[in-house]
Amino acid sequence: MKRIGLLTSGGDCQALNATMRGVVKGLANSCDELEVYGFMEGYKGLIYGNYRLLNPKEFSGILTKGGTILGSSRQPFKQMRVPDANGLDKVEAMKHTYHKLRLDCLVILGGNGTQKSANMLREEGLNIIHLPKTIDNDIFGTDMTFGFYSAVNIATEAIDCIHTTAASHNRVFIVEVMGHKVGWLTLYAGLAGGADIILLPEIPYDINSVVKKLEARGKAGKGFTILAVAEGAISKEDAKLSKKELKKKQAADAQLYPCVSYKVAAEIQEKTGQEIRVTVPGHTQRGGGPCPYDRVLSTLLGAEAARAILDEDYGCMIGMVNNELKRIPLSECAGKLKTVDPNCQVIQEAKEIGICFGD
Ligand code: F6P
């Protein structure tokens, strides 16, 4: 007999359902008796006891379904130890729900913030397994997160569509790609979409270097240019500011520009007089069903989570390292960010073919 809880927390992404399916199918295949409790809207459901006993059959037919059948919400880690508006101790409330249902394990699907809370619950004595979800691919300890390649596909398609119109009109276009504080999604979508300039948070940009690349393309007779700009891209000057100064600067920029791409566009325009178009695919990058790669990854991660539960091996994240499934202790990965190494081979090869990173 196994009794597990499932929750999906933070920004959603593709393959959340596919991953839960993997967990439940893996367990159902080996356990005579299985009870699965689904907590609604992430940690909120665990805090306020909003859950449903789910029939394992409900996990059939959801491999390709986007979003999450449990719903999700953001419950910032920093707020977890702060009582709610009614004075409720959230951590104690979560522990209470867990013990009341006599769970063997709580399986938590989420990104970095979610993982920190998962680790805190582990420290509080609960049996936890974390599954790495995010289009940002920024979770330390795993090479790959589910959602990432599905989002790469969507962002790439956006760049592909912009390519044809940019070429027809001889225009400079910026496509802004999600990814929060890291540049994985922009780097991969930028490469896949054939962007000429890629700006990442990990490589602060110098607008003069961007302009130089634009001029070089013009001289070479290339009428259009595509920039893939990460939502977290930052200029060299801003990167030198202290945390406090940067916050102030970003607040001032937010009054002038809806997002960083418009700032980059204005900077280019000021230097060249050229009109720039900006496209922001935004949350479409998290939408729709998972791509085949993510379906496979999620199924494998889910199945390995089921195996870990059967082994009673808790307190870990199930990750993929060098194409092998691994159980990484939460104590080793929680609270760390996986960023793009500016000297990695992908960037070196991209530079080799002439892609400008604004450095
Ligand atoms: O972490 C996933 C992500 O989509 C980031 O790429 C993005 O910065 C953020 O979530 C957007 O969050 P929200 O959905 O709360 O606007």
Side-chain angles (χ1 to χ4, degrees):
M1 165 75 183
K2 286 284 175 208
R3 206 175 277 121
I4 67 150
L6 278 173
L7 67 84
T8 55
S9 166
D12 76 335
C13 74
Q14 304 87 343
L16 281 162
N17 292 324
T19 308
M20 291 193 279
R21 170 186 176 270
V23 178
V24 175
K25 276 190 181 273
L27 287 173
N29 207 21
S30 300
C31 299
D32 292 336
E33 277 182 86
L34 174 65
E35 275 181 18
V36 180
Y37 291 89
F39 294 98
M40 311 314 288
E41 293 179 42
Y43 286 113
K44 227 196 236 178
L46 187 63
I47 297 169
Y48 298 105
N50 184 12
Y51 56 81
R52 267 183 59 213
L53 178 60
L54 297 159
N55 188 318
K57 284 186 188 146
E58 291 184 64
F59 292 85
S60 289
I62 60 168
L63 175 65
T64 61
K65 199 175 152 87
T68 158
I69 58 167
L70 298 181
S72 191
S73 67
R74 289 197 188 276
Q75 297 290 313
F77 171 69
K78 277 188 187 157
Q79 296 295 315
M80 279 299 193
R81 297 261 180 211
V82 179
D84 78 356
N86 298 314
L88 179 78
D89 182 325
K90 294 174 207 153
V91 178
E92 285 307 314
M94 288 192 280
K95 284 161 66 180
H96 174 77
T97 310
Y98 177 97
H99 291 303
K100 187 181 85 179
L101 294 174
R102 290 179 293 126
L103 297 180
D104 292 303
C105 175
L106 178 62
V107 181
I108 298 176
L109 289 74
N112 278 308
T114 299
Q115 190 191 53
K116 280 198 251 178
S117 298
N119 188 42
M120 178 194 68
L121 292 176
R122 175 194 68 81
E123 287 167 348
E124 290 286 331
L126 308 194
N127 294 333
I128 302 290
I129 290 190
H130 170 241
L131 286 159
K133 158 246 71 156
T134 172
I135 64 167
D136 305 336
N137 194 29
D138 59 353
I139 298 182
F140 186 87
T142 182
D143 294 343
M144 199 46 66
T145 60
F146 57 88
F148 176 66
Y149 267 111
S150 302
V152 168
N153 285 357
I154 296 170
T156 303
E157 257 174 49
I159 298 174
D160 288 348
C161 291
I162 290 302
H163 236 116
T164 58
T165 176
S168 305
H169 288 268
N170 277 334
R171 276 175 170 160
V172 177
F173 262 96
I174 296 180
V175 179
E176 181 164 314
V177 181
M178 272 188 170
H180 202 217
K181 293 180 180 162
V182 303
W184 294 105
L185 190 50
T186 310
L187 177 61
Y188 277 71
L191 280 179
D196 311 292
I197 299 170
I198 300 179
L199 303 185
L200 310 177
E202 292 88 344
I203 307 179
Y205 69 86
D206 174 351
I207 201 65
N208 294 315
S209 143
V210 172
V211 167
K212 216 165 130 192
K213 174 71 180 175
L214 284 169
E215 286 169 352
R217 279 182 62 80
K219 276 191 198 131
K222 306 205 169 141
F224 73 94
T225 296
I226 308 275
L227 289 89
V229 173
E231 63 177 351
I234 183 167
S235 68
K236 274 197 176 14
E237 305 86 72
D238 286 1
K240 284 186 199 135
L241 299 175
S242 70
K243 231 176 166 180
K244 203 172 155 194
E245 287 168 336
L246 182 63
K247 225 175 157 185
K248 212 170 141 196
K249 176 85 191 311
Q250 284 174 336
D253 283 349
Q255 299 294 316
L256 300 172
Y257 315 107
C259 54
V260 68
S261 291
Y262 285 92
K263 181 181 170 201
V264 174
E267 288 169 345
I268 298 174
Q269 218 154 312
E270 195 195 317
K271 298 230 171 235
T272 64
Q274 227 168 336
E275 210 183 332
I276 318 289
R277 293 281 194 271
V278 175
T279 294
V280 184
H283 287 75
T284 62
Q285 292 163 96
R286 278 180 10 200
C291 67
Y293 176 90
D294 275 339
R295 295 179 201 178
V296 174
L297 176 66
S298 290
T299 303
L300 301 184
L301 294 175
E304 177 62 8
R307 198 172 291 120
I309 293 168
L310 294 169
D311 294 344
E312 298 182 4
D313 185 7
Y314 306 119
C316 57
M317 167 181 75
I318 310 296
M320 190 62 93
V321 182
N322 293 329
N323 278 325
E324 267 185 49
L325 290 160
K326 285 269 171 348
R327 299 174 190 173
I328 302 109
L330 279 169
S331 57
E332 286 177 17
C333 51
K336 296 179 186 165
L337 195 67
K338 187 182 73 186
T339 56
V340 176
D341 173 0
N343 299 313
C344 70
Q345 207 170 22
V346 179
I347 291 188
Q348 280 181 29
E349 301 309 332
K351 285 184 174 172
E352 190 66 27
I353 66 158
I355 296 174
C356 166
F357 286 84
D359 52 344

